[in-house]
Amino acid sequence: MTADHPGNPCKQCSIPTSRMSGRTLRQSPARGGLLKKADDKRWIQVCPTCERQDLFDDHRIALPFQSLDGVMRTVQDEATGAKGVLSMAGFSFTQHALGSAVALANREDDDAGSARSTAQIEAEAQQYRLTPSHQSALKLSDAICQWGRGSRVFGNLHKRHGTTLGDKMNRWMRAALAADTDEAAIAPVSSTQEAGRPEGLGVSFGSKHLRMLDPDRFAVLDSVLSEGLGYALNPKGYALFMRHLRDFHQQLSASGWGHSLARTESGLFVLARQNVRVDSEQAVTPSEA
């Protein structure tokens, strides 16, 4: 929350309110049923003091909100007296908020209703690495696109490349795993890189493939993180994003953080999504929502 949009005082305790996207607040059993579908893209005012018990989902995962100073927090920060604020690319949050966001991302994965979960596709990708072939590459790519809600992406790839798609995906994925740099791993096919990312597969879904192939080395850079953190959706932007993410993850891991590089990115996605997918910076009161 910026100085241009200060939180209005809570009517009960007079403390400045924080804000949470309607999409996130919808996961609160106490508050979610009161929201409209249009509220998913609006900031809703919340009071972490008066509404503390409401700011959890039905599995008691604390829901992240944005405080007056722009930092993403949860009510657990106040309960534990946590003072440390983390930051990546100028986006600030507490470790509690990031941990909750990873847990929420895992829940979304469980509730997505896709054919296979993240863990299942990771296992399929590891099997592909052991016995790569154009048939298994094609099957894996289809699964990854469905996981990323991009069935249309895979359909368009199939239309563009026809029966050669499996071979092109296989050549690219094998080359990406052997690449020395992130920029080379995500680079598109060209006259100088015949085994590059196939035409029609953008950086967003290309990075989803890399993330599944090696979740300890790669992560996803999609439109939410591109807009929310400021990384360009091109090979150089992806390389910069991965360098910063690895540095951030290494620092977290040194303090006992137990999540993989890719799972950490999923938490950043959930946090950044609140800032990106809202139609207005102005938060509304519950009665207006």
Side-chain angles (χ1 to χ4, degrees), residues 145-206:
C145 288
Q146 287 189 43
W147 170 81
R149 298 172 177 81
S151 297
R152 185 178 300 176
V153 173
F154 186 77
N156 290 336
L157 283 169
H158 221 291
K159 287 180 182 179
R160 181 188 290 260
H161 298 284
T163 58
T164 67
L165 179 59
D167 178 63
K168 290 177 179 177
M169 291 301 301
N170 185 38
R171 293 174 63 194
W172 168 58
M173 289 194 286
R174 292 177 66 183
L177 287 168
D180 293 332
T181 66
D182 300 316
E183 186 174 352
I186 200 75
V189 65
S190 66
S191 58
T192 59
Q193 188 155 335
E194 294 183 1
R197 174 168 45 87
E199 293 181 5
L201 184 67
V203 167
S204 175
F205 272 85

Short mmCIF file of all heavy atoms in Angstrom, two decimals, residues 145-206:
data_model
loop_
_atom_site.label_atom_id
_atom_site.label_comp_id
_atom_site.label_asym_id
_atom_site.label_seq_id
_atom_site.Cartn_x
_atom_site.Cartn_y
_atom_site.Cartn_z
N CYS A 145 1.43 -28.23 -20.09
CA CYS A 145 0.53 -27.18 -20.58
C CYS A 145 -0.82 -27.26 -19.88
O CYS A 145 -1.40 -26.22 -19.52
CB CYS A 145 0.37 -27.27 -22.09
SG CYS A 145 1.84 -26.75 -23.02
N GLN A 146 -1.33 -28.47 -19.65
CA GLN A 146 -2.59 -28.61 -18.92
C GLN A 146 -2.42 -28.13 -17.48
O GLN A 146 -3.30 -27.45 -16.94
CB GLN A 146 -3.04 -30.08 -18.93
CG GLN A 146 -3.56 -30.55 -20.27
CD GLN A 146 -4.19 -31.93 -20.18
OE1 GLN A 146 -4.93 -32.23 -19.25
NE2 GLN A 146 -3.89 -32.78 -21.14
N TRP A 147 -1.29 -28.48 -16.86
CA TRP A 147 -1.01 -28.04 -15.49
C TRP A 147 -0.99 -26.52 -15.41
O TRP A 147 -1.48 -25.93 -14.43
CB TRP A 147 0.33 -28.62 -15.05
CG TRP A 147 0.87 -28.07 -13.77
CD1 TRP A 147 0.54 -28.44 -12.50
CD2 TRP A 147 1.88 -27.06 -13.63
NE1 TRP A 147 1.27 -27.73 -11.58
CE2 TRP A 147 2.11 -26.87 -12.25
CE3 TRP A 147 2.63 -26.31 -14.55
CZ2 TRP A 147 3.04 -25.95 -11.76
CZ3 TRP A 147 3.55 -25.40 -14.07
CH2 TRP A 147 3.75 -25.22 -12.69
N GLY A 148 -0.43 -25.88 -16.41
CA GLY A 148 -0.35 -24.42 -16.44
C GLY A 148 -1.58 -23.75 -17.02
O GLY A 148 -1.54 -22.56 -17.33
N ARG A 149 -2.66 -24.51 -17.16
CA ARG A 149 -3.92 -24.00 -17.73
C ARG A 149 -3.70 -23.45 -19.13
O ARG A 149 -4.22 -22.39 -19.49
CB ARG A 149 -4.56 -22.96 -16.81
CG ARG A 149 -4.94 -23.51 -15.44
CD ARG A 149 -5.39 -22.40 -14.49
NE ARG A 149 -5.83 -22.91 -13.21
CZ ARG A 149 -5.03 -23.25 -12.21
NH1 ARG A 149 -3.72 -23.12 -12.36
NH2 ARG A 149 -5.50 -23.72 -11.07
N GLY A 150 -2.91 -24.20 -19.90
CA GLY A 150 -2.60 -23.76 -21.26
C GLY A 150 -2.84 -24.83 -22.29
O GLY A 150 -2.00 -25.05 -23.18
N SER A 151 -3.99 -25.49 -22.21
CA SER A 151 -4.30 -26.52 -23.21
C SER A 151 -4.31 -25.91 -24.61
O SER A 151 -3.93 -26.58 -25.58
CB SER A 151 -5.67 -27.15 -22.91
OG SER A 151 -5.64 -27.83 -21.67
N ARG A 152 -4.72 -24.65 -24.70
CA ARG A 152 -4.74 -23.98 -26.00
C ARG A 152 -3.32 -23.78 -26.53
O ARG A 152 -3.07 -23.85 -27.73
CB ARG A 152 -5.45 -22.64 -25.88
CG ARG A 152 -5.63 -21.90 -27.20
CD ARG A 152 -6.39 -20.60 -26.99
NE ARG A 152 -7.71 -20.84 -26.44
CZ ARG A 152 -8.56 -19.87 -26.10
NH1 ARG A 152 -8.19 -18.59 -26.25
NH2 ARG A 152 -9.74 -20.17 -25.61
N VAL A 153 -2.38 -23.55 -25.60
CA VAL A 153 -0.97 -23.39 -26.01
C VAL A 153 -0.48 -24.67 -26.69
O VAL A 153 0.12 -24.63 -27.77
CB VAL A 153 -0.08 -23.07 -24.79
CG1 VAL A 153 1.41 -23.09 -25.18
CG2 VAL A 153 -0.45 -21.71 -24.20
N PHE A 154 -0.76 -25.81 -26.06
CA PHE A 154 -0.32 -27.08 -26.63
C PHE A 154 -1.04 -27.35 -27.95
O PHE A 154 -0.43 -27.84 -28.91
CB PHE A 154 -0.57 -28.23 -25.65
CG PHE A 154 0.00 -29.54 -26.12
CD1 PHE A 154 1.36 -29.80 -26.02
CD2 PHE A 154 -0.82 -30.51 -26.68
CE1 PHE A 154 1.89 -31.00 -26.47
CE2 PHE A 154 -0.31 -31.71 -27.12
CZ PHE A 154 1.05 -31.95 -27.02
N GLY A 155 -2.33 -27.01 -28.01
CA GLY A 155 -3.07 -27.21 -29.25
C GLY A 155 -2.50 -26.40 -30.39
O GLY A 155 -2.37 -26.90 -31.53
N ASN A 156 -2.13 -25.15 -30.11
CA ASN A 156 -1.54 -24.30 -31.15
C ASN A 156 -0.16 -24.81 -31.57
O ASN A 156 0.21 -24.72 -32.75
CB ASN A 156 -1.44 -22.86 -30.66
CG ASN A 156 -2.80 -22.19 -30.55
OD1 ASN A 156 -3.76 -22.60 -31.22
ND2 ASN A 156 -2.91 -21.18 -29.70
N LEU A 157 0.60 -25.34 -30.60
CA LEU A 157 1.90 -25.93 -30.94
C LEU A 157 1.72 -27.12 -31.87
O LEU A 157 2.47 -27.29 -32.85
CB LEU A 157 2.62 -26.38 -29.67
CG LEU A 157 3.30 -25.31 -28.83
CD1 LEU A 157 3.74 -25.90 -27.49
CD2 LEU A 157 4.50 -24.72 -29.57
N HIS A 158 0.72 -27.93 -31.60
CA HIS A 158 0.46 -29.10 -32.42
C HIS A 158 0.05 -28.69 -33.83
O HIS A 158 0.46 -29.32 -34.82
CB HIS A 158 -0.62 -29.97 -31.78
CG HIS A 158 -0.33 -31.43 -31.86
ND1 HIS A 158 -0.36 -32.12 -33.05
CD2 HIS A 158 0.00 -32.34 -30.90
CE1 HIS A 158 -0.08 -33.40 -32.82
NE2 HIS A 158 0.16 -33.55 -31.53
N LYS A 159 -0.77 -27.65 -33.92
CA LYS A 159 -1.18 -27.16 -35.24
C LYS A 159 0.01 -26.63 -36.03
O LYS A 159 0.13 -26.84 -37.24
CB LYS A 159 -2.23 -26.06 -35.09
CG LYS A 159 -3.60 -26.55 -34.65
CD LYS A 159 -4.56 -25.38 -34.52
CE LYS A 159 -5.93 -25.85 -34.04
NZ LYS A 159 -6.87 -24.70 -33.89
N ARG A 160 0.91 -25.94 -35.34
CA ARG A 160 2.06 -25.33 -36.01
C ARG A 160 3.08 -26.36 -36.47
O ARG A 160 3.63 -26.26 -37.57
CB ARG A 160 2.73 -24.32 -35.06
CG ARG A 160 3.94 -23.59 -35.67
CD ARG A 160 4.65 -22.78 -34.61
NE ARG A 160 3.88 -21.64 -34.17
CZ ARG A 160 4.06 -20.39 -34.60
NH1 ARG A 160 5.00 -20.14 -35.50
NH2 ARG A 160 3.33 -19.42 -34.14
N HIS A 161 3.35 -27.35 -35.61
CA HIS A 161 4.46 -28.27 -35.89
C HIS A 161 4.03 -29.66 -36.35
O HIS A 161 4.87 -30.42 -36.84
CB HIS A 161 5.33 -28.39 -34.64
CG HIS A 161 5.95 -27.11 -34.21
ND1 HIS A 161 7.04 -26.54 -34.86
CD2 HIS A 161 5.63 -26.26 -33.19
CE1 HIS A 161 7.36 -25.42 -34.24
NE2 HIS A 161 6.53 -25.22 -33.24
N GLY A 162 2.77 -29.99 -36.15
CA GLY A 162 2.28 -31.29 -36.60
C GLY A 162 3.03 -32.45 -35.99
O GLY A 162 3.35 -32.46 -34.79
N THR A 163 3.38 -33.43 -36.82
CA THR A 163 4.02 -34.66 -36.33
C THR A 163 5.47 -34.44 -35.91
O THR A 163 6.08 -35.34 -35.33
CB THR A 163 3.98 -35.74 -37.42
OG1 THR A 163 4.62 -35.24 -38.61
CG2 THR A 163 2.54 -36.13 -37.75
N THR A 164 6.02 -33.25 -36.16
CA THR A 164 7.42 -32.99 -35.78
C THR A 164 7.53 -32.43 -34.37
O THR A 164 8.64 -32.24 -33.88
CB THR A 164 8.08 -32.01 -36.77
OG1 THR A 164 7.45 -30.71 -36.65
CG2 THR A 164 7.95 -32.50 -38.20
N LEU A 165 6.39 -32.15 -33.72
CA LEU A 165 6.44 -31.47 -32.42
C LEU A 165 7.19 -32.30 -31.37
O LEU A 165 8.01 -31.76 -30.63
CB LEU A 165 5.02 -31.17 -31.93
CG LEU A 165 4.94 -30.47 -30.56
CD1 LEU A 165 5.68 -29.13 -30.58
CD2 LEU A 165 3.47 -30.27 -30.15
N GLY A 166 6.93 -33.60 -31.31
CA GLY A 166 7.59 -34.43 -30.32
C GLY A 166 9.09 -34.39 -30.46
O GLY A 166 9.82 -34.27 -29.46
N ASP A 167 9.58 -34.46 -31.68
CA ASP A 167 11.03 -34.43 -31.91
C ASP A 167 11.61 -33.08 -31.52
O ASP A 167 12.67 -33.01 -30.89
CB ASP A 167 11.32 -34.73 -33.38
CG ASP A 167 12.81 -34.67 -33.69
OD1 ASP A 167 13.57 -35.48 -33.12
OD2 ASP A 167 13.21 -33.80 -34.48
N LYS A 168 10.91 -31.99 -31.86
CA LYS A 168 11.41 -30.65 -31.54
C LYS A 168 11.41 -30.41 -30.04
O LYS A 168 12.35 -29.81 -29.50
CB LYS A 168 10.57 -29.60 -32.25
CG LYS A 168 10.77 -29.59 -33.77
CD LYS A 168 9.86 -28.59 -34.46
CE LYS A 168 10.10 -28.59 -35.96
NZ LYS A 168 9.15 -27.68 -36.68
N MET A 169 10.36 -30.86 -29.34
CA MET A 169 10.33 -30.70 -27.89
C MET A 169 11.44 -31.53 -27.24
O MET A 169 12.11 -31.07 -26.31
CB MET A 169 8.97 -31.14 -27.34
CG MET A 169 7.80 -30.22 -27.71
SD MET A 169 7.99 -28.51 -27.16
CE MET A 169 8.14 -28.74 -25.40
N ASN A 170 11.64 -32.72 -27.73
CA ASN A 170 12.67 -33.60 -27.17
C ASN A 170 14.06 -32.98 -27.34
O ASN A 170 14.87 -32.95 -26.40
CB ASN A 170 12.61 -34.96 -27.85
CG ASN A 170 13.58 -35.96 -27.24
OD1 ASN A 170 13.78 -36.00 -26.03
ND2 ASN A 170 14.18 -36.78 -28.08
N ARG A 171 14.33 -32.47 -28.52
CA ARG A 171 15.64 -31.87 -28.79
C ARG A 171 15.85 -30.64 -27.91
O ARG A 171 16.94 -30.43 -27.37
CB ARG A 171 15.76 -31.51 -30.27
CG ARG A 171 15.80 -32.71 -31.20
CD ARG A 171 15.78 -32.29 -32.64
NE ARG A 171 16.95 -31.51 -33.01
CZ ARG A 171 17.06 -30.80 -34.12
NH1 ARG A 171 16.04 -30.72 -34.96
NH2 ARG A 171 18.16 -30.15 -34.39
N TRP A 172 14.80 -29.82 -27.78
CA TRP A 172 14.95 -28.61 -26.96
C TRP A 172 15.14 -28.95 -25.49
O TRP A 172 16.05 -28.41 -24.84
CB TRP A 172 13.73 -27.69 -27.12
CG TRP A 172 13.74 -26.60 -26.07
CD1 TRP A 172 14.74 -25.67 -25.87
CD2 TRP A 172 12.75 -26.36 -25.06
NE1 TRP A 172 14.41 -24.86 -24.80
CE2 TRP A 172 13.21 -25.25 -24.30
CE3 TRP A 172 11.54 -26.95 -24.76
CZ2 TRP A 172 12.48 -24.74 -23.23
CZ3 TRP A 172 10.80 -26.44 -23.70
CH2 TRP A 172 11.27 -25.35 -22.95
N MET A 173 14.32 -29.83 -24.95
CA MET A 173 14.41 -30.13 -23.52
C MET A 173 15.74 -30.77 -23.16
O MET A 173 16.33 -30.45 -22.12
CB MET A 173 13.23 -31.01 -23.10
CG MET A 173 11.91 -30.26 -23.09
SD MET A 173 10.54 -31.11 -22.22
CE MET A 173 10.15 -32.38 -23.42
N ARG A 174 16.25 -31.62 -24.02
CA ARG A 174 17.56 -32.22 -23.75
C ARG A 174 18.66 -31.16 -23.82
O ARG A 174 19.58 -31.15 -22.99
CB ARG A 174 17.83 -33.34 -24.76
CG ARG A 174 16.92 -34.55 -24.58
CD ARG A 174 17.15 -35.60 -25.64
NE ARG A 174 18.48 -36.20 -25.53
CZ ARG A 174 18.96 -37.10 -26.37
NH1 ARG A 174 18.23 -37.51 -27.40
NH2 ARG A 174 20.17 -37.59 -26.21
N ALA A 175 18.55 -30.26 -24.79
CA ALA A 175 19.54 -29.19 -24.91
C ALA A 175 19.45 -28.22 -23.73
O ALA A 175 20.47 -27.74 -23.22
CB ALA A 175 19.34 -28.43 -26.23
N ALA A 176 18.22 -27.94 -23.27
CA ALA A 176 18.04 -27.01 -22.16
C ALA A 176 18.66 -27.56 -20.88
O ALA A 176 19.30 -26.83 -20.12
CB ALA A 176 16.55 -26.73 -21.95
N LEU A 177 18.49 -28.85 -20.64
CA LEU A 177 19.06 -29.47 -19.45
C LEU A 177 20.58 -29.46 -19.48
O LEU A 177 21.24 -29.42 -18.44
CB LEU A 177 18.55 -30.90 -19.31
CG LEU A 177 17.09 -31.05 -18.86
CD1 LEU A 177 16.61 -32.49 -19.05
CD2 LEU A 177 16.93 -30.61 -17.41
N ALA A 178 21.14 -29.48 -20.69
CA ALA A 178 22.60 -29.49 -20.83
C ALA A 178 23.18 -28.09 -20.97
O ALA A 178 24.41 -27.93 -20.99
CB ALA A 178 22.99 -30.34 -22.04
N ALA A 179 22.32 -27.07 -21.05
CA ALA A 179 22.78 -25.69 -21.29
C ALA A 179 23.60 -25.17 -20.11
O ALA A 179 23.34 -25.50 -18.95
CB ALA A 179 21.59 -24.78 -21.54
N ASP A 180 24.57 -24.34 -20.42
CA ASP A 180 25.43 -23.76 -19.38
C ASP A 180 24.80 -22.57 -18.69
O ASP A 180 25.18 -22.22 -17.56
CB ASP A 180 26.77 -23.33 -19.99
CG ASP A 180 27.60 -24.50 -20.48
OD1 ASP A 180 27.45 -25.60 -19.91
OD2 ASP A 180 28.39 -24.33 -21.42
N THR A 181 23.84 -21.91 -19.35
CA THR A 181 23.23 -20.71 -18.79
C THR A 181 21.72 -20.78 -18.91
O THR A 181 21.17 -21.52 -19.74
CB THR A 181 23.71 -19.44 -19.52
OG1 THR A 181 23.22 -19.46 -20.88
CG2 THR A 181 25.24 -19.36 -19.53
N ASP A 182 21.04 -19.99 -18.10
CA ASP A 182 19.58 -19.92 -18.16
C ASP A 182 19.13 -19.30 -19.48
O ASP A 182 18.12 -19.71 -20.04
CB ASP A 182 19.05 -19.07 -17.00
CG ASP A 182 19.42 -19.66 -15.66
OD1 ASP A 182 19.29 -20.89 -15.49
OD2 ASP A 182 19.86 -18.89 -14.77
N GLU A 183 19.87 -18.32 -19.95
CA GLU A 183 19.51 -17.68 -21.21
C GLU A 183 19.57 -18.68 -22.36
O GLU A 183 18.68 -18.71 -23.22
CB GLU A 183 20.44 -16.50 -21.49
CG GLU A 183 20.04 -15.69 -22.71
CD GLU A 183 20.87 -14.44 -22.89
OE1 GLU A 183 21.67 -14.10 -21.98
OE2 GLU A 183 20.73 -13.78 -23.95
N ALA A 184 20.58 -19.53 -22.36
CA ALA A 184 20.69 -20.54 -23.40
C ALA A 184 19.60 -21.59 -23.27
O ALA A 184 19.06 -22.09 -24.26
CB ALA A 184 22.06 -21.21 -23.35
N ALA A 185 19.22 -21.92 -22.02
CA ALA A 185 18.21 -22.95 -21.80
C ALA A 185 16.85 -22.53 -22.33
O ALA A 185 16.08 -23.36 -22.84
CB ALA A 185 18.11 -23.27 -20.31
N ILE A 186 16.52 -21.23 -22.24
CA ILE A 186 15.20 -20.74 -22.64
C ILE A 186 15.22 -20.11 -24.03
O ILE A 186 14.17 -19.69 -24.55
CB ILE A 186 14.68 -19.72 -21.60
CG1 ILE A 186 13.15 -19.54 -21.69
CG2 ILE A 186 15.39 -18.37 -21.75
CD1 ILE A 186 12.37 -20.66 -21.12
N ALA A 187 16.38 -20.04 -24.67
CA ALA A 187 16.52 -19.37 -25.97
C ALA A 187 15.67 -20.06 -27.03
O ALA A 187 15.57 -21.28 -27.07
CB ALA A 187 17.98 -19.34 -26.40
N PRO A 188 15.05 -19.27 -27.92
CA PRO A 188 14.22 -19.87 -28.98
C PRO A 188 15.07 -20.50 -30.08
O PRO A 188 16.26 -20.22 -30.20
CB PRO A 188 13.43 -18.67 -29.51
CG PRO A 188 14.35 -17.51 -29.29
CD PRO A 188 15.07 -17.80 -28.00
N VAL A 189 14.44 -21.34 -30.87
CA VAL A 189 15.12 -21.92 -32.01
C VAL A 189 15.55 -20.81 -32.97
O VAL A 189 14.85 -19.81 -33.15
CB VAL A 189 14.20 -22.94 -32.73
CG1 VAL A 189 12.99 -22.25 -33.34
CG2 VAL A 189 14.96 -23.75 -33.75
N SER A 190 16.73 -20.96 -33.54
CA SER A 190 17.24 -19.94 -34.47
C SER A 190 18.25 -20.60 -35.39
O SER A 190 18.54 -21.80 -35.27
CB SER A 190 17.91 -18.80 -33.69
OG SER A 190 19.07 -19.27 -33.02
N SER A 191 18.81 -19.80 -36.29
CA SER A 191 19.80 -20.34 -37.22
C SER A 191 21.06 -20.79 -36.49
O SER A 191 21.79 -21.66 -36.97
CB SER A 191 20.16 -19.28 -38.26
OG SER A 191 20.66 -18.10 -37.63
N THR A 192 21.30 -20.22 -35.32
CA THR A 192 22.49 -20.61 -34.54
C THR A 192 22.16 -21.57 -33.40
O THR A 192 23.05 -22.06 -32.74
CB THR A 192 23.17 -19.35 -33.96
OG1 THR A 192 22.24 -18.66 -33.12
CG2 THR A 192 23.64 -18.43 -35.08
N GLN A 193 20.87 -21.81 -33.16
CA GLN A 193 20.47 -22.71 -32.08
C GLN A 193 19.31 -23.57 -32.59
O GLN A 193 18.13 -23.30 -32.32
CB GLN A 193 20.06 -21.93 -30.83
CG GLN A 193 19.82 -22.84 -29.62
CD GLN A 193 20.02 -22.11 -28.30
OE1 GLN A 193 20.74 -21.12 -28.22
NE2 GLN A 193 19.40 -22.60 -27.24
N GLU A 194 19.64 -24.62 -33.30
CA GLU A 194 18.63 -25.46 -33.93
C GLU A 194 17.80 -26.22 -32.89
O GLU A 194 16.65 -26.57 -33.16
CB GLU A 194 19.30 -26.46 -34.88
CG GLU A 194 19.96 -25.78 -36.09
CD GLU A 194 20.55 -26.79 -37.06
OE1 GLU A 194 20.43 -28.02 -36.78
OE2 GLU A 194 21.13 -26.38 -38.06
N ALA A 195 18.37 -26.49 -31.73
CA ALA A 195 17.64 -27.22 -30.68
C ALA A 195 17.07 -26.27 -29.65
O ALA A 195 17.02 -26.57 -28.46
CB ALA A 195 18.55 -28.25 -30.03
N GLY A 196 16.64 -25.09 -30.08
CA GLY A 196 16.10 -24.10 -29.16
C GLY A 196 14.63 -24.32 -28.88
O GLY A 196 14.00 -25.26 -29.39
N ARG A 197 14.07 -23.45 -28.05
CA ARG A 197 12.65 -23.50 -27.70
C ARG A 197 11.82 -23.39 -28.97
O ARG A 197 11.97 -22.45 -29.74
CB ARG A 197 12.35 -22.35 -26.73
CG ARG A 197 10.90 -22.15 -26.37
CD ARG A 197 10.77 -21.18 -25.18
NE ARG A 197 11.61 -20.01 -25.30
CZ ARG A 197 11.28 -18.88 -25.94
NH1 ARG A 197 10.10 -18.77 -26.53
NH2 ARG A 197 12.13 -17.86 -25.98
N PRO A 198 10.89 -24.33 -29.21
CA PRO A 198 10.13 -24.35 -30.46
C PRO A 198 9.30 -23.09 -30.67
O PRO A 198 8.83 -22.47 -29.70
CB PRO A 198 9.23 -25.58 -30.31
CG PRO A 198 9.96 -26.46 -29.35
CD PRO A 198 10.62 -25.52 -28.37
N GLU A 199 9.12 -22.72 -31.92
CA GLU A 199 8.28 -21.57 -32.25
C GLU A 199 6.87 -21.79 -31.73
O GLU A 199 6.31 -22.87 -31.83
CB GLU A 199 8.25 -21.37 -33.77
CG GLU A 199 9.57 -20.97 -34.38
CD GLU A 199 9.46 -20.78 -35.88
OE1 GLU A 199 8.33 -20.88 -36.41
OE2 GLU A 199 10.50 -20.53 -36.52
N GLY A 200 6.30 -20.73 -31.16
CA GLY A 200 4.95 -20.82 -30.61
C GLY A 200 4.92 -21.11 -29.12
O GLY A 200 3.86 -21.03 -28.50
N LEU A 201 6.07 -21.46 -28.55
CA LEU A 201 6.17 -21.69 -27.10
C LEU A 201 6.88 -20.50 -26.49
O LEU A 201 8.09 -20.33 -26.66
CB LEU A 201 6.94 -22.98 -26.83
CG LEU A 201 7.03 -23.41 -25.35
CD1 LEU A 201 5.66 -23.79 -24.81
CD2 LEU A 201 8.00 -24.58 -25.19
N GLY A 202 6.15 -19.65 -25.78
CA GLY A 202 6.74 -18.44 -25.23
C GLY A 202 7.57 -18.71 -23.99
O GLY A 202 7.67 -19.84 -23.50
N VAL A 203 8.15 -17.64 -23.46
CA VAL A 203 9.00 -17.77 -22.27
C VAL A 203 8.19 -18.28 -21.08
O VAL A 203 8.66 -19.10 -20.28
CB VAL A 203 9.67 -16.43 -21.94
CG1 VAL A 203 10.30 -16.44 -20.54
CG2 VAL A 203 10.73 -16.10 -22.98
N SER A 204 6.94 -17.81 -20.93
CA SER A 204 6.12 -18.22 -19.79
C SER A 204 5.94 -19.74 -19.76
O SER A 204 6.28 -20.39 -18.77
CB SER A 204 4.75 -17.53 -19.84
OG SER A 204 3.91 -18.00 -18.80
N PHE A 205 5.42 -20.32 -20.83
CA PHE A 205 5.21 -21.77 -20.83
C PHE A 205 6.51 -22.52 -21.07
O PHE A 205 6.64 -23.68 -20.63
CB PHE A 205 4.14 -22.16 -21.86
CG PHE A 205 2.76 -22.11 -21.27
CD1 PHE A 205 2.05 -20.91 -21.23
CD2 PHE A 205 2.17 -23.24 -20.71
CE1 PHE A 205 0.79 -20.84 -20.65
CE2 PHE A 205 0.91 -23.19 -20.14
CZ PHE A 205 0.22 -21.98 -20.10
N GLY A 206 7.46 -21.89 -21.69
CA GLY A 206 8.78 -22.52 -21.81
C GLY A 206 9.40 -22.70 -20.43
O GLY A 206 9.96 -23.75 -20.11
#
